[in-house]
Amino acid sequence: MSELVPGGNMPLPGGAVTVRVPGPFDVSALITDDGGRVRGDADFVFYNQPSAPGARLDGDTLTVDPPRLRPGATRVTIAVSPADPGTPLGRLPAPTLQVTGAGGRSLARFAPPRPQQETVLLLAEIYRRGGAWKLRALGQGYTDGLAGIARDFGVDVLEDGAGTPTPAPSTNSAPTRMARPVIPEQRTPGPGAAPAVPPPSYRPLPADDGFLALVNSARARAGSAPVSLDSRLATAANAHATAMASAGRLGVEGPDGVSVHQRLTATGYTYITVGEHLVSGPRTPAEFVEYCVRNEQSRQTLQDRAFTHVGVGHVADARSGDVFWTALWATPFSPAALARTAAEVVDFTNRERARAAGLPPLAVDPLLTTAAQAHSADMVARAFYSHTSPEGSQPWDRAAAAGSTRRSIGENIACGQRSPAEVVEGWMNSPGHRANILKPDFTHIGIGFAGGGQAGTYWTQLFGA
């Protein structure tokens, strides 16, 4: 089972998958095409409308069968909101997404950063890419309820008591919390009709030399060293801000299918540590930094002592005036930094073995390290995330190819985690990965890490006995 972080993704097996969010929540889904918009009210699945072709909601469980979705559908976005409307998610237990495949086999788990005042959260999306279906963790919050998300996806929503047209009667015995969505009829302009509104244009905002001073002032207050501007990070940040503006929504991946991390590596910048801010709303660099300082998770990124470089892009939609921001934070790759990162993963792993099971430490094996590093780099280079490589090789095959003769091999992989502490914590919170770390028979370990790809970071632990 994969432990996902925001932006992390994984391939899905063929057939139906089940998504469950236990707790006092309502689960809903929006079915869209590549443009990110619904076609009609049948594309919105929620408690008052629990089914659509290829998707069915039963309580806290959504079943999605991608091949059976309506023609043209390429994405199912899954949202969660409080069962008691108006209650901030921060007052409830943290929602956790559980994904299972055929036979109830656990595929993935996603526990997003704990929401605060948000009343609805985009948890994940199931999407088609190159003929295959994948799952991506999101974790994007809204404060204006389920109706706000519906409108962003092109659904016209009538709130209770909003007047005509009258919502269709509910078949759910529970009190109605939101009316059935109503989609305006699509009409083709006749002769002489006003031309369609042209697509919006986007423009970069003027550069502001004050950004770096604001950032480094905030870092100094936290005892962090200053960062310096890097033109490659700025290039990638501007490209991603433009992509988000063109789609009219925030996302780690733009409408062109390219992730913010892929934009960064395309500039030639290789990193050992990376972080990002994807924000809309602030109008100036001062407002953007103020937002980051107010928000706990954003503040941690801005003040992270690991970062040495930063680049920012902010693009305004000339029609709507919305401003989309991307800030990229990174530390460049070096062989010494990679060695330190691998050593920290080994150290955290051995601490867990001692703490949880009283086991002796694992020794670093150079051959296992070579195989693990090659697998992390391969997942980035060939855009896959699996223990099985595209040509079918398994962990023991890769270990043998590196020259290892160890009789027993085990492997943990992860993507999206931004530090050795975070990735080991994720593995320890997953029963299957935890079992590898705490297996008494294992005596040696190798660590692999590579930056890039859809998720930004790819980690491999290779164990041997």
Side-chain angles (χ1 to χ4, degrees):
M1 183 180 70
S2 296
E3 290 282 342
L4 297 178
V5 299
N9 67 81
M10 59 170 287
L12 291 174
V17 294
T18 298
V19 175
R20 180 171 179 258
V21 185
F25 307 110
D26 282 327
V27 178
S28 55
L30 294 115
I31 301 165
T32 60
D33 53 22
D34 287 333
R37 310 287 283 181
V38 298
R39 284 188 179 178
D41 60 353
D43 283 348
F44 190 18
V45 177
F46 68 120
Y47 41 80
N48 276 355
Q49 186 168 276
S51 64
R56 179 163 188 84
L57 181 63
D58 184 10
D60 62 3
T61 302
L62 175 73
T63 301
V64 179
D65 191 352
R68 296 182 179 274
L69 294 170
R70 61 146 173 94
T74 59
R75 193 177 304 263
V76 179
T77 303
I78 301 151
V80 66
S81 55
D84 182 11
T87 301
L89 287 166
R91 297 182 186 175
L92 302 176
T96 300
L97 183 79
Q98 302 170 357
V99 184
T100 57
R105 182 169 67 92
S106 294
L107 300 177
R109 178 180 178 273
F110 174 48
R114 186 176 182 86
Q116 299 299 319
Q117 295 304 310
E118 294 91 339
T119 54
V120 65
L121 195 66
L122 295 185
L123 276 180
E125 58 186 5
I126 295 170
Y127 65 103
R128 188 172 66 200
R129 180 58 43 79
W133 288 88
K134 295 184 175 183
L135 172 76
R136 177 168 38 242
L138 298 175
Q140 178 185 344
Y142 284 65
T143 58
D144 52 351
L146 193 58
I149 283 185
R151 291 190 185 96
D152 277 5
F153 280 78
V155 180
D156 280 355
V157 178
L158 294 178
E159 303 288 357
D160 291 340
T164 58
T166 304
S170 169
T171 58
N172 191 321
S173 60
T176 300
R177 295 180 286 272
M178 190 183 79
R180 176 186 170 101
V182 178
I183 310 299
E185 180 184 355
Q186 301 296 315
R187 292 183 171 87
T188 302
V197 176
S201 58
Y202 309 97
R203 55 185 174 86
L205 295 179
D208 188 323
D209 292 338
F211 171 78
L212 188 62
L214 291 165
V215 163
N216 283 332
S217 176
R219 288 176 62 86
R221 291 194 295 270
S224 300
V227 291
S228 59
L229 292 173
D230 186 281
S231 60
R232 293 163 296 179
L233 271 65
T235 296
N238 268 304
H240 197 71
T242 301
M244 292 192 300
S246 71
R249 63 187 177 100
L250 301 174
V252 173
E253 183 179 297
D256 54 2
V258 180
S259 78
V260 64
H261 311 105
Q262 289 171 313
R263 297 187 205 282
L264 177 54
T265 54
T267 68
Y269 189 103
T270 56
Y271 56 82
I272 200 72
T273 311
V274 68
E276 69 281 335
H277 286 121
L278 307 177
V279 178
S280 66
R283 315 296 299 183
T284 66
E287 289 181 7
F288 173 76
V289 174
E290 182 183 0
Y291 163 82
C292 293
V293 171
R294 286 200 315 265
N295 181 285
E296 181 180 358
Q297 186 176 6
S298 296
R299 182 172 64 250
Q300 289 176 354
T301 299
L302 185 148
Q303 297 175 345
D304 194 324
R305 299 183 181 187
F307 297 131
T308 59
H309 291 150
V310 66
V312 65
H314 43 129
V315 175
D317 177 343
R319 185 178 68 178
S320 70
D322 292 340
V323 182
F324 291 81
W325 295 78
T326 299
L328 286 170
W329 311 79
T331 299
F333 173 89
S334 70
L338 177 61
R340 286 194 301 270
T341 298
E344 288 181 26
V345 175
V346 173
D347 182 50
F348 283 118
T349 299
N350 283 333
R351 290 187 201 178
E352 292 295 344
R353 283 172 60 87
R355 180 192 63 83
L359 294 172
L362 300 169
V364 174
D365 183 315
L367 298 178
L368 295 181
T369 299
T370 297
Q373 182 60 36
H375 188 55
S376 287
D378 192 29
M379 287 191 288
V380 170
R382 295 200 281 174
F384 74 98
Y385 177 65
S386 175
H387 294 289
T388 304
S389 71
E391 66 274 5
S393 69
Q394 300 288 340
W396 39 91
D397 300 320
R398 295 189 287 271
S404 175
T405 57
R406 299 199 176 276
R407 58 182 176 80
S408 179
I409 295 292
E411 182 179 81
N412 287 343
I413 59 174
C415 65
Q417 293 84 357
R418 303 307 168 86
S419 70
E422 184 181 345
V423 72
V424 173
E425 180 182 8
W427 281 326
M428 286 299 293
N429 288 334
S430 167
H433 299 91
R434 178 187 178 95
N436 271 342
I437 290 174
L438 302 184
K439 186 172 181 178
D441 291 348
F442 287 143
T443 56
H444 289 77
I445 190 172
I447 303 298
F449 168 84
Q454 291 284 342
T457 57
Y458 290 78
W459 307 79
T460 303
Q461 275 184 322
L462 200 57
F463 303 90

